[in-house]
């Protein structure tokens, strides 16, 4: 599995998700659940514990790298996110198709998803800096070819946030999954390619106040 890392920024620290974060995540998730109309967020201690355990199991299989989001301004864990759907293209092509074969040490492509924040951390820049930290790690440490981000087509706020990162709209996959509201969900797909990352990085760094405008 990819090496566990802590990603630190100016106001956000992404810490490897662990059982120690459960109580803090429970508190974060119950602040105002009306903000989670299109996002599936665990509710209560049992659901959060199952959520964390499942994420850690996927991590052990090399399929995801989950984080707890610590907002340094308040020194509280205010949500979770992850690099997920990790694919490894290095090594010999497995045969027959679908068989597990030898893989490289780092992913070749990944998604960013399962992101949710406490109501008090929404709209504060925490999400943007969290995405910046994960994108930087994926492109500059793993050297991935592509990062995918996606959202329920009805989730206007999330789609605007993804587009503000500089991700390109790839299209809508109809009936892609079960929605958080138990409907059949159409999903909007976005991506950032390795060649696009330098320009995206510069734009995000400027928005985060990490560099001054020319």
């Amino acid at each position: 599995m990819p090496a566990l890392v802590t990603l630190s920024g100016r106001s956000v620290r992404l810490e490897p998700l662990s059982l120690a974060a459960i109580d803090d995540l429970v508190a974060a998730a119950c602040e105002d659940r009306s903000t989670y109309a299109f996002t599936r967020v665990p509710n209560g201690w049992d659901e959060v514990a199952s959520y964390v355990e499942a994420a850690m199991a996927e991590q052990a299989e090399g399929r995801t790298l989950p984080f707890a989001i610590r907002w340094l301004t308040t020194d509280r864990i205010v949500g979770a996110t992850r690099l997920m759907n990790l694919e490894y293209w290095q090594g010999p092509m497995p045969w027959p198709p679908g068989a597990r074969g030898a893989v490289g040490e780092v992913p070749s492509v990944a998604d960013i998803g399962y992101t949710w924040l406490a109501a008090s951390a929404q709209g504060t820049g925490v999400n943007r800096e969290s995405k910046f930290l994960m994108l930087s790690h994926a492109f500059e440490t793993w050297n991935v070819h592509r990062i995918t981000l996606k959202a329920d087509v009805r989730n206007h706020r999330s789609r605007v946030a993804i587009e503000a990162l500089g991700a390109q709209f790839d299209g809508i996959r109809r009936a892609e999954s079960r929605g958080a509201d138990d409907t059949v969900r159409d999903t909007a797909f976005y991506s950032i390619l390795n060649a696009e990352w330098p320009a995206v990085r510069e734009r995000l760094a400027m928005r985060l106040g990490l560099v001054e405008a020319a």
Side-chain angles (χ1 to χ4, degrees):
M1 68 180 185
L4 300 183
V5 292
T6 296
L7 306 178
S8 297
R10 178 176 293 180
S11 62
V12 170
R13 184 166 67 237
L14 302 184
E15 303 170 353
L17 189 63
S18 71
L19 299 177
I22 291 175
D23 289 341
D24 290 338
L25 291 173
V26 171
C30 73
E31 280 190 6
D32 180 1
R33 296 195 60 82
S34 68
T35 63
Y36 302 139
F38 301 113
T39 305
R40 193 176 299 277
V41 177
N43 187 17
W45 199 94
D46 289 342
E47 285 191 12
V48 171
S50 296
Y51 170 90
V52 172
E53 290 168 355
M56 292 175 65
E58 289 191 6
Q59 172 189 296
E61 296 174 352
R63 295 190 290 142
T64 190
L65 192 63
F67 298 98
I69 303 172
R70 184 175 294 277
W71 191 11
L72 298 179
T73 304
T74 61
D75 195 28
R76 292 188 299 121
I77 290 176
V78 293
T81 189
R82 65 186 75 172
L83 286 156
M84 53 185 281
N85 294 337
L86 307 182
E87 294 185 21
Y88 302 80
W89 296 352
Q90 305 93 334
M93 186 74 74
W95 188 262
R100 290 181 177 271
V103 298
E105 296 179 354
V106 295
S108 302
V109 296
D111 293 7
I112 290 178
Y114 279 107
T115 303
W116 62 270
L117 290 171
S120 59
Q122 296 172 21
T124 63
V126 168
N127 178 60
R128 184 182 302 133
E129 187 169 3
S130 297
K131 295 291 195 299
F132 178 78
L133 292 171
M134 287 188 289
L135 288 167
S136 297
H137 184 71
F139 284 117
E140 297 169 17
T141 300
W142 291 346
N143 197 32
V144 298
H145 302 293
R146 183 194 73 239
I147 286 291
T148 297
L149 304 104
K150 51 192 178 183
D152 189 312
V153 293
R154 301 167 296 173
N155 194 340
H156 178 72
R157 183 173 63 181
S158 288
R159 294 185 64 180
V160 167
I162 292 171
E163 291 164 3
L165 293 173
Q168 299 297 308
F169 177 58
D170 292 329
I172 294 172
R173 182 178 295 174
R174 297 175 297 166
E176 190 266 339
S177 67
R178 180 178 179 180
D181 57 353
D182 288 330
T183 61
V184 177
R185 163 180 147 165
D186 295 341
T187 298
F189 280 72
Y190 297 83
S191 64
I192 301 172
L193 302 184
N194 190 288
E196 298 166 346
W197 170 239
V200 171
R201 189 188 198 287
E202 182 178 4
R203 178 183 177 186
L204 279 175
M206 190 174 299
R207 294 190 67 188
L208 290 166
L210 302 178
V211 295
E212 295 182 0

